[in-house]
Amino acid sequence: IRNEYQRLDIYKRISAFLTHDDCLDMQDELIDRFGEPPQSLVNLIDASLLRNTAGRLGITEISQKRGALFFFVTQPTPQQLSALMRKYYDRIAFNDKKPPYYVAVRLAKGELSVSLMHEVIGIFQENVGNATGMN
């Protein structure tokens, strides 16, 4: 996108994505206006939706170290923790001492961190619940 104003406008819109449909609409618009977007832009769109979804779920940070993804969350619900334990029973660890709490999930051999990130955030989203977290 050569026009700086258009480029900034698109980046601003991408940063505000709330749903997968928002991503699809943006990709369709970009294809119509500029042709097939480069993979780096597709990755940016995906990362923006992931970041915004995580933020709405109280996940304040995601980091990777020692072969695991760490999800720092302000108040995980018992439903979320239970679902994560069922899915990753031998690959999961928690810190419930003080906020922000963390949930760490070890990457399986050959597993991509972005795939695990999508999966874990999906579990957080599907199991929001109404109860308070780990106090």
Side-chain angles (χ1 to χ4, degrees):
I1 304 171
R2 289 193 171 95
N3 181 295
E4 187 174 335
Y5 175 77
Q6 285 179 327
R7 186 172 52 247
L8 291 174
D9 179 57
I10 288 173
Y11 283 143
K12 181 179 176 182
R13 290 173 46 206
I14 288 172
S15 72
F17 285 162
L18 297 176
T19 68
H20 184 66
D21 287 343
D22 293 340
C23 294
L24 295 176
D25 290 346
M26 175 57 76
Q27 286 178 335
D28 287 345
E29 180 181 337
L30 290 171
I31 290 168
D32 288 348
R33 292 173 66 185
F34 306 105
E36 197 65 36
Q39 187 61 44
S40 60
L41 185 56
V42 173
N43 292 344
L44 176 67
I45 289 169
D46 185 47
S48 179
L49 178 60
L50 238 144
R51 183 183 64 245
N52 292 340
T53 301
R56 284 194 320 275
L57 295 167
I59 300 170
T60 59
E61 178 184 346
I62 302 170
S63 62
Q64 181 176 348
K65 54 187 161 189
R66 298 184 306 275
L69 289 180
F70 288 76
F71 297 83
F72 292 85
V73 59
T74 54
Q75 194 76 359
T77 68
Q79 294 88 342
Q80 290 167 331
L81 297 176
S82 179
L84 289 165
M85 286 188 294
R86 281 192 306 275
K87 176 77 176 176
Y88 306 109
Y89 66 94
D90 62 343
R91 299 169 44 195
I92 194 163
F94 302 96
N95 164 18
D96 64 352
K97 302 294 183 231
K98 62 180 180 166
Y101 306 108
Y102 75 74
V103 174
V105 181
R106 279 192 327 273
L107 288 156
K109 185 173 183 164
E111 184 173 32
L112 297 175
S113 56
V114 71
S115 298
L116 180 59
M117 197 179 315
H118 273 283
E119 208 172 76
V120 170
I121 290 172
I123 291 170
F124 269 100
Q125 191 168 26
E126 292 166 4
N127 295 280
V128 172
N130 295 322
T132 60
M134 301 161 94
N135 297 35

